[in-house]
Amino acid sequence: MSQLNDFLVQIPDKPDMLATRVSNVQAHMAGLKGLVESGTIVMSGPTLVAHPKTPNEGLAINGSAWLVRANSEEDVRAIVANDIYAKLGVWDVDNVTITPFKCAVRKPL
């Protein structure tokens, strides 16, 4: 087995897909569960236009960010493509950014 590499992944949402995203978040999280448990996805969450200014303000979600451990960028792209958000058209997979990353410090969760 080859050594796993770290990748920072940013996946923008397509416009006007927030309702589809929200209504499918449980399926999305269920799909991530095995990837998180295996250590493939180290960190995951929505990206925001800005942090809420008040506790009652909703999240202005505009995409997703991951830290992924994989052999190659191609493997990362396959993981992204297999997610329900990609299959439902929530994510703009044509504009995903996958950046090779060397993690120097990692705190166990």
Side-chain angles (χ1 to χ4, degrees):
M1 182 167 100
S2 62
Q3 178 182 353
L4 293 176
N5 299 299
D6 292 330
F7 296 90
L8 294 174
V9 183
Q10 289 187 276
I11 314 160
D13 283 358
K14 291 181 179 175
D16 303 316
M17 293 303 291
L18 184 59
T20 303
R21 171 189 263 276
V22 170
S23 65
N24 289 281
V25 70
Q26 294 304 321
H28 167 68
M29 296 303 290
L32 292 180
K33 185 176 181 179
L35 295 166
V36 171
E37 289 173 352
S38 70
T40 301
I41 292 183
V42 178
M43 179 275 306
S44 172
T47 57
L48 309 174
V49 173
H51 286 287
K53 293 182 180 19
T54 67
N56 295 329
E57 185 180 345
L59 297 178
I61 297 172
N62 62 1
S64 299
W66 290 349
L67 174 56
V68 178
R69 303 209 71 217
N71 288 314
S72 66
E73 181 178 327
E74 292 76 21
D75 290 348
V76 175
R77 288 191 185 280
I79 294 167
V80 170
N82 195 46
D83 191 282
I84 192 163
Y85 284 168
K87 292 177 180 179
L88 292 174
V90 172
W91 284 341
D92 183 355
V93 294
D94 292 334
N95 288 301
V96 69
T97 302
I98 300 173
T99 305
F101 175 72
K102 183 65 176 171
C103 186
V105 177
R106 186 179 312 235
K107 181 179 178 181
L109 299 177

